[in-house]
Amino acid sequence: MPRSRRPGRLRGPLLALALLAPALLGAAPDGSGETISLAGNEPGLRLDVTLTRVVDPASPTGPESTGGDRLVATRFSLENTGTAVYEDSPAPSAHLLDTTGRRFTGTDTATTAGPGFPGTVALGPGASAEGFITFRIPVGAEPAAVQFALDTGLADDVGHWSLPLA
């Protein structure tokens, strides 16, 4: 008797495989450490992007309210390996996905995890920068992955780092 295909039937196993792949490939325990080379939409625009640290939960630096959300701070290293100048805002270039598929855009919210990127980063060929990008997520959300794309997150080339479940 043939089995029918129902939409969403493979979502659980595929999500589990996506979350386990970094562990199977030897990624760092916090899902970080892998450098991904990303191209932008303009000729010569290329960055090596590395997720170097994840701080969950992160604390705001001042009296700023989290509005009941949890802060997750991610530290990125950006190195311009192209021939064009990279000038962009890293925070909206990053997204955090939770285990239910919700997507959260990065912010410039300052945390005690460490210094963030300035609003705009300009890197000539060969230059590099490091900084934190913060995400506001609901308290019960479980981070599953972080993504980064050039051109304020709109480039076709997207870096993806899977995070372990807590």
Side-chain angles (χ1 to χ4, degrees), residues 40-47 79-87 122-127 150-151:
N41 293 334
E42 300 298 320
L45 185 55
R46 179 165 290 281
L47 287 184
E79 181 182 359
N80 186 339
T81 56
T83 58
V85 172
Y86 167 79
E87 188 169 350
L123 299 175
L150 280 61
D151 300 309

Side-chain angles (χ1 to χ4, degrees), residues 64-92:
E64 179 181 335
S65 171
T66 60
D69 289 338
R70 183 168 95 226
L71 300 178
V72 177
T74 55
R75 186 170 189 225
F76 283 93
S77 172
L78 310 176
E79 181 182 359
N80 186 339
T81 56
T83 58
V85 172
Y86 167 79
E87 188 169 350
D88 204 355
S89 298

Side-chain angles (χ1 to χ4, degrees), residues 59-138:
S59 301
T61 57
E64 179 181 335
S65 171
T66 60
D69 289 338
R70 183 168 95 226
L71 300 178
V72 177
T74 55
R75 186 170 189 225
F76 283 93
S77 172
L78 310 176
E79 181 182 359
N80 186 339
T81 56
T83 58
V85 172
Y86 167 79
E87 188 169 350
D88 204 355
S89 298
S93 297
H95 293 90
L96 182 142
L97 292 87
D98 73 4
T99 55
T100 65
R102 290 181 292 183
R103 186 177 183 204
F104 304 92
T105 301
T107 69
D108 292 324
T109 303
T111 69
T112 58
F117 287 105
T120 300
V121 172
L123 299 175
S128 62
E130 291 187 0
F132 277 91
I133 297 172
T134 304
F135 301 93
R136 290 178 174 272
I137 65 173

